[in-house]
Amino acid sequence: MTTTMAPPAPSVTQRYLEEAERYSAHNYHPLPVVLDRGEGVWVWDVEGNRYLDMLASYSAVNQGHRHPEIIAAAREQMDRLTLTSRAFHNDQMGPFLRELCEAAGFDAALPMNTGAEAVETAIKMVRKWGYQARGVPDGEAEIIVCEDNFHGRTTTIVGFSSEEQYRAGFGPFTPGFRVIPYGDIDALRAAIGPNTVGFLVEPIQGEAGVIVPPDGYMRDAAELCRENGVALVADEIQTGLGRTGRFFCCDWEDVRPDVLIVGKALGGGVYPVSAAIADSEFMDVFRPGDHGSTFGGNPLGAAVGRASLRVIIEEDLSRRSDELGSWFMDRLRAIDSPHVEGVRGRGLMIGVVIKESSGTARPYCEALKTRGILAKETHHQVVRFAPPLTVTRAELEDALVEIEAVLR
Ligand SMILES: *Cc1c(COP(=O)(O)O)cnc(C)c1O
């Protein structure tokens, strides 16, 4: 009897990967894992393997996957009303914005959906404020931004990126932005001119590889902005809502920005919800017709946003992030590895920098995946660890065994 060697059947995973490869635009380079279930800090792939999610969807899942309270709020709202557009009022947006403003300590908020839209909102807000309140000549307003910034992917936003790949082939770009080195207060002082209306900054740069600026940077920047009548615009889309061990990362230096941008975890990993938050001096530049979004402030998003905020506050996730983050960072620093250049971060926003001589961070992420941990490289040399803030010390202890094995 002869047997013919049939080629092995493609795995379930392989079939999904090929389908995505065939039908999607190739604008991402994901790890080859196909997920179909999530609960809390855990996700499962289509073959039944379980992983600790240490990316948490770039901090959009601070509350954990499918937090029961957020899912219940979404379900209940879906059974009542999901979309009104802003042509009419709904009974969720007002309470949502009040709760958001009370939590953040500002007068008003403008709801959008994605982070990039909230950044665009802030840009429009400070520009118009500059013309109206500061008397900047029409069309001359300038906004200062930092090298290696990440504020989203619209054409205006990538136009002031310093990352060549984000821009190449996508111009021409919106004028009116000036790029300075991050963390350099003298550069900010030198860059402020008569037409500078805003300074747009991340209190920790996430996508750049978890870059923590020097101590006092945000406080000094806030003071410089105040002295010069420049609006400080803090992009806390990733650093906000507990991620860095404070409710907002600006709280570390008791800084109150003029405009605060939030997104990601505001939707609890369930629905895209973002907002630009400010006092009336800034918010009141908007008149009916100036700005908007079909889905911004919709009742489903607002109900999800309310539950997402409530979970962060009631479960004291900022404190969890602070305590677990500093302990976890110490443990990572204690790993004796020939490949690690350093560990940096705040709270549970942590980057492990791989030495260039040890290659890029990608193979380390692939090795972690085979050991049940999902992490993603950022900027070639950095493995980012940013699990849901609901993670327990015991779960992190278990993860450390695997991380240590991979880093050694
Ligand atoms: C993710 C992110 C954005 C963009 O948010 P999207 O929802 O992807 O548009 C902007 N700024 C920062 C700091 C981010 O981390």
Side-chain angles (χ1 to χ4, degrees), residues 5-51:
M5 291 286 283
S11 70
V12 195
T13 296
Q14 204 56 40
R15 290 209 304 271
Y16 281 110
L17 296 183
E18 279 164 17
E19 187 175 54
E21 173 72 13
R22 164 69 182 78
Y23 287 103
S24 75
H26 298 139
N27 55 333
Y28 275 94
H29 182 37
L31 286 179
V33 60
V34 182
L35 305 174
D36 69 356
R37 193 157 70 86
E39 187 175 329
V41 298
W42 302 103
V43 287
W44 285 262
D45 71 13
V46 288
E47 309 195 19
N49 300 305
R50 188 180 80 155
Y51 304 89

Coordinates of all heavy atoms in Angstrom, one line a residue, residues 5-51:
M5 N 2.0 11.8 0.2 CA 2.2 12.8 1.2 C 1.4 14.1 0.8 O 1.8 14.9 -0.1 CB 3.6 13.2 1.3 CG 4.5 12.1 1.9 SD 4.3 11.9 3.6 CE 5.2 13.3 4.2
A6 N 0.2 14.3 1.4 CA -0.6 15.5 1.1 C 0.0 16.6 1.9 O 0.6 16.5 3.0 CB -2.0 15.3 1.6
P7 N 0.0 17.8 1.2 CA 0.5 19.0 2.0 C -0.3 19.2 3.2 O -1.5 18.9 3.2 CB 0.4 20.1 1.0 CG -0.6 19.7 0.0 CD -0.5 18.2 -0.1
P8 N 0.3 19.7 4.3 CA -0.6 19.9 5.5 C -1.7 20.9 5.2 O -1.4 21.9 4.5 CB 0.4 20.4 6.5 CG 1.6 20.9 5.7 CD 1.6 20.1 4.5
A9 N -2.9 20.6 5.7 CA -3.9 21.6 5.5 C -3.6 22.9 6.2 O -3.0 22.9 7.3 CB -5.2 21.0 6.2
P10 N -3.9 24.0 5.6 CA -3.6 25.3 6.2 C -4.4 25.4 7.6 O -5.5 25.0 7.6 CB -4.1 26.4 5.2 CG -5.0 25.7 4.3 CD -4.6 24.2 4.3
S11 N -3.7 26.0 8.6 CA -4.4 26.1 9.9 C -5.5 27.1 9.8 O -5.6 27.9 8.8 CB -3.4 26.5 10.9 OG -3.0 27.9 10.7
V12 N -6.4 27.1 10.7 CA -7.5 28.1 10.8 C -6.8 29.4 10.8 O -7.3 30.3 10.0 CB -8.3 27.9 12.1 CG1 -9.6 28.7 12.0 CG2 -8.5 26.4 12.4
T13 N -5.8 29.6 11.6 CA -5.1 30.9 11.7 C -4.7 31.3 10.3 O -4.9 32.5 9.8 CB -4.0 30.9 12.6 OG1 -4.5 30.6 13.9 CG2 -3.2 32.2 12.6
Q14 N -4.0 30.4 9.6 CA -3.4 30.7 8.3 C -4.5 31.2 7.3 O -4.3 32.1 6.6 CB -2.7 29.4 7.7 CG -1.7 29.7 6.7 CD -0.6 30.7 7.3 OE1 -0.2 30.6 8.4 NE2 -0.2 31.7 6.4
R15 N -5.7 30.6 7.4 CA -6.7 31.0 6.4 C -7.2 32.4 6.7 O -7.4 33.2 5.8 CB -7.9 30.0 6.6 CG -7.6 28.6 6.0 CD -8.9 27.9 5.4 NE -9.9 27.8 6.4 CZ -10.0 26.8 7.3 NH1 -9.2 25.8 7.3 NH2 -11.0 26.8 8.1
Y16 N -7.3 32.7 8.0 CA -7.7 34.1 8.3 C -6.6 35.1 7.9 O -6.9 36.2 7.4 CB -8.0 34.3 9.8 CG -9.3 33.8 10.2 CD1 -9.4 32.6 11.0 CD2 -10.5 34.4 9.9 CE1 -10.7 32.1 11.4 CE2 -11.7 34.0 10.3 CZ -11.8 32.8 11.1 OH -13.0 32.4 11.5
L17 N -5.4 34.7 8.1 CA -4.3 35.6 7.7 C -4.3 35.9 6.2 O -4.1 37.0 5.8 CB -2.9 35.1 8.2 CG -2.7 34.9 9.7 CD1 -1.3 34.4 9.9 CD2 -2.9 36.3 10.4
E18 N -4.5 34.8 5.5 CA -4.5 34.9 4.0 C -5.6 35.8 3.5 O -5.5 36.6 2.6 CB -4.5 33.5 3.4 CG -3.1 32.9 3.4 CD -3.2 31.4 3.1 OE1 -4.2 30.9 2.6 OE2 -2.1 30.7 3.4
E19 N -6.8 35.6 4.1 CA -7.9 36.4 3.7 C -7.7 37.9 4.0 O -8.0 38.7 3.1 CB -9.2 35.9 4.5 CG -10.5 36.5 4.0 CD -11.6 35.9 4.8 OE1 -11.6 35.9 6.0 OE2 -12.5 35.4 4.1
A20 N -7.2 38.2 5.2 CA -6.9 39.6 5.5 C -5.9 40.2 4.6 O -6.0 41.3 4.1 CB -6.5 39.7 7.0
E21 N -4.9 39.4 4.3 CA -3.8 39.8 3.4 C -4.4 40.1 2.0 O -4.0 41.1 1.4 CB -2.7 38.7 3.3 CG -1.6 38.8 2.3 CD -0.6 39.9 2.7 OE1 -0.7 40.3 3.9 OE2 0.1 40.3 1.8
R22 N -5.3 39.3 1.6 CA -5.8 39.4 0.2 C -6.8 40.6 0.1 O -6.8 41.3 -0.9 CB -6.6 38.1 -0.1 CG -7.6 38.2 -1.3 CD -6.9 38.3 -2.6 NE -7.9 38.4 -3.7 CZ -8.6 39.5 -4.0 NH1 -8.4 40.6 -3.3 NH2 -9.4 39.5 -5.0
Y23 N -7.6 40.9 1.2 CA -8.6 41.9 1.0 C -8.4 43.2 1.8 O -9.2 44.1 1.6 CB -10.0 41.3 1.5 CG -10.5 40.3 0.5 CD1 -10.4 38.9 0.7 CD2 -11.1 40.7 -0.7 CE1 -10.9 38.0 -0.2 CE2 -11.5 39.8 -1.7 CZ -11.5 38.4 -1.4 OH -11.9 37.6 -2.3
S24 N -7.4 43.2 2.6 CA -7.2 44.5 3.3 C -6.1 45.3 2.7 O -5.2 44.8 2.1 CB -6.9 44.3 4.8 OG -5.6 43.8 5.0
A25 N -6.2 46.6 2.9 CA -5.1 47.5 2.6 C -3.9 47.1 3.5 O -4.1 46.7 4.6 CB -5.5 49.0 2.8
H26 N -2.7 47.3 3.0 CA -1.6 46.8 3.7 C -0.9 47.9 4.6 O 0.2 48.1 4.5 CB -0.6 46.1 2.8 CG -1.2 44.9 2.1 ND1 -0.9 44.6 0.8 CD2 -2.0 44.0 2.5 CE1 -1.6 43.6 0.4 NE2 -2.3 43.1 1.5
N27 N -1.8 48.5 5.4 CA -1.3 49.7 6.1 C -0.9 49.3 7.6 O -0.6 50.2 8.4 CB -2.3 50.8 6.1 CG -3.7 50.4 6.6 OD1 -4.0 49.2 6.5 ND2 -4.4 51.3 7.2
Y28 N -0.9 48.0 7.9 CA -0.4 47.5 9.2 C 0.4 46.3 9.0 O 0.4 45.6 8.0 CB -1.7 47.2 10.1 CG -2.2 48.4 10.8 CD1 -3.3 49.1 10.3 CD2 -1.7 48.8 12.0 CE1 -3.8 50.2 11.0 CE2 -2.2 49.9 12.7 CZ -3.3 50.6 12.2 OH -3.8 51.7 12.9
H29 N 1.2 46.0 10.1 CA 2.0 44.8 10.1 C 1.7 44.1 11.4 O 2.6 44.1 12.3 CB 3.5 45.2 10.0 CG 4.4 44.0 9.9 ND1 4.1 42.9 9.3 CD2 5.7 43.9 10.5 CE1 5.1 42.0 9.4 NE2 6.1 42.6 10.2
P30 N 0.5 43.5 11.6 CA 0.2 42.9 12.9 C 0.9 41.6 13.2 O 1.5 41.0 12.2 CB -1.3 42.6 12.7 CG -1.6 42.5 11.2 CD -0.5 43.3 10.5
L31 N 1.0 41.2 14.4 CA 1.5 39.9 14.8 C 0.5 38.9 14.2 O -0.7 39.1 14.1 CB 1.6 39.7 16.3 CG 2.7 40.5 17.0 CD1 2.6 40.2 18.5 CD2 4.1 40.1 16.5
P32 N 1.1 37.7 13.8 CA 0.2 36.7 13.2 C -0.7 35.9 14.2 O -0.5 34.7 14.4 CB 1.2 35.8 12.5 CG 2.4 35.9 13.3 CD 2.5 37.3 13.9
V33 N -1.6 36.6 14.8 CA -2.5 36.0 15.8 C -3.9 36.5 15.4 O -4.1 37.7 15.2 CB -2.1 36.2 17.2 CG1 -2.1 37.7 17.5 CG2 -3.0 35.5 18.2
V34 N -4.9 35.6 15.4 CA -6.2 35.9 15.1 C -7.1 35.7 16.3 O -7.3 34.6 16.7 CB -6.7 35.1 13.9 CG1 -8.2 35.5 13.5 CG2 -5.8 35.2 12.7
L35 N -7.6 36.8 16.8 CA -8.4 36.7 18.1 C -9.9 36.7 17.8 O -10.4 37.3 16.9 CB -8.0 38.0 18.9 CG -6.5 38.2 19.2 CD1 -6.3 39.5 19.9 CD2 -6.0 37.0 20.0
D36 N -10.5 35.9 18.7 CA -12.0 35.9 18.5 C -12.7 36.0 19.9 O -14.0 35.9 19.9 CB -12.4 34.6 17.8 CG -12.2 33.3 18.6 OD1 -11.7 33.4 19.7 OD2 -12.6 32.3 18.1
R37 N -12.0 36.2 21.0 CA -12.7 36.4 22.2 C -11.8 37.2 23.2 O -10.6 37.0 23.2 CB -13.0 35.0 22.8 CG -14.0 35.0 24.0 CD -14.7 33.7 24.1 NE -13.8 32.6 24.6 CZ -13.6 32.4 25.9 NH1 -14.2 33.1 26.8 NH2 -12.8 31.4 26.2
G38 N -12.5 38.0 24.1 CA -11.7 38.7 25.1 C -12.5 38.8 26.4 O -13.8 38.9 26.3
E39 N -11.8 38.8 27.5 CA -12.5 39.0 28.8 C -11.5 39.5 29.8 O -10.5 38.8 30.0 CB -13.1 37.7 29.3 CG -13.9 37.9 30.5 CD -14.7 36.6 30.9 OE1 -15.0 35.8 30.1 OE2 -14.8 36.4 32.2
G40 N -11.7 40.7 30.3 CA -10.7 41.3 31.2 C -9.4 41.5 30.6 O -9.3 42.1 29.5
V41 N -8.3 40.9 31.2 CA -7.0 41.1 30.6 C -6.7 40.0 29.6 O -5.6 40.0 29.0 CB -5.9 41.1 31.7 CG1 -6.2 42.2 32.7 CG2 -5.9 39.7 32.5
W42 N -7.6 39.1 29.4 CA -7.3 37.9 28.5 C -8.0 38.0 27.1 O -9.1 38.5 27.0 CB -7.8 36.6 29.2 CG -7.1 36.4 30.5 CD1 -7.7 36.6 31.7 CD2 -5.8 36.0 30.8 NE1 -6.8 36.4 32.8 CE2 -5.6 36.0 32.2 CE3 -4.7 35.7 30.0 CZ2 -4.4 35.6 32.8 CZ3 -3.5 35.3 30.6 CH2 -3.4 35.3 32.0
V43 N -7.2 37.5 26.1 CA -7.9 37.3 24.8 C -7.5 35.9 24.3 O -6.5 35.3 24.8 CB -7.4 38.3 23.8 CG1 -7.9 39.7 24.1 CG2 -5.8 38.4 23.7
W44 N -8.4 35.4 23.5 CA -8.2 34.0 22.9 C -8.1 34.1 21.4 O -8.8 34.9 20.8 CB -9.4 33.1 23.3 CG -9.4 32.7 24.8 CD1 -8.9 31.5 25.2 CD2 -9.9 33.4 25.9 NE1 -9.1 31.4 26.6 CE2 -9.7 32.6 27.0 CE3 -10.4 34.7 26.1 CZ2 -10.0 33.0 28.3 CZ3 -10.8 35.1 27.3 CH2 -10.5 34.3 28.5
D45 N -7.3 33.2 20.8 CA -7.2 33.2 19.4 C -8.2 32.1 18.9 O -8.8 31.3 19.6 CB -5.8 33.0 18.9 CG -5.2 31.6 19.1 OD1 -5.9 30.7 19.5 OD2 -3.9 31.5 19.0
V46 N -8.3 32.0 17.5 CA -9.3 31.1 16.9 C -8.9 29.6 17.1 O -9.7 28.7 16.8 CB -9.4 31.4 15.4 CG1 -10.1 32.7 15.2 CG2 -8.0 31.4 14.7
E47 N -7.7 29.4 17.6 CA -7.3 28.0 17.9 C -7.5 27.7 19.4 O -7.1 26.6 19.8 CB -5.9 27.7 17.4 CG -5.8 28.2 16.0 CD -4.5 27.7 15.3 OE1 -4.0 26.7 15.7 OE2 -4.2 28.3 14.2
G48 N -8.0 28.6 20.1 CA -8.3 28.4 21.6 C -7.1 28.7 22.5 O -7.2 28.5 23.7
N49 N -6.0 29.3 22.0 CA -4.9 29.7 22.9 C -5.3 31.0 23.6 O -5.9 31.9 23.0 CB -3.7 29.9 22.0 CG -3.2 28.7 21.3 OD1 -3.0 27.6 21.9 ND2 -3.1 28.8 20.0
R50 N -4.9 31.1 24.8 CA -5.2 32.2 25.7 C -3.9 33.1 25.8 O -2.8 32.6 25.9 CB -5.6 31.8 27.1 CG -6.1 32.9 27.9 CD -6.5 32.4 29.3 NE -5.4 32.2 30.1 CZ -5.4 32.3 31.5 NH1 -6.6 32.4 32.1 NH2 -4.3 32.1 32.2
Y51 N -4.1 34.4 25.7 CA -3.0 35.4 25.9 C -3.3 36.5 26.9 O -4.5 36.9 27.0 CB -2.7 36.1 24.5 CG -2.4 35.1 23.4 CD1 -3.5 34.7 22.6 CD2 -1.2 34.8 23.0 CE1 -3.3 33.8 21.5 CE2 -0.9 33.9 22.0 CZ -2.0 33.5 21.2 OH -1.8 32.6 20.1

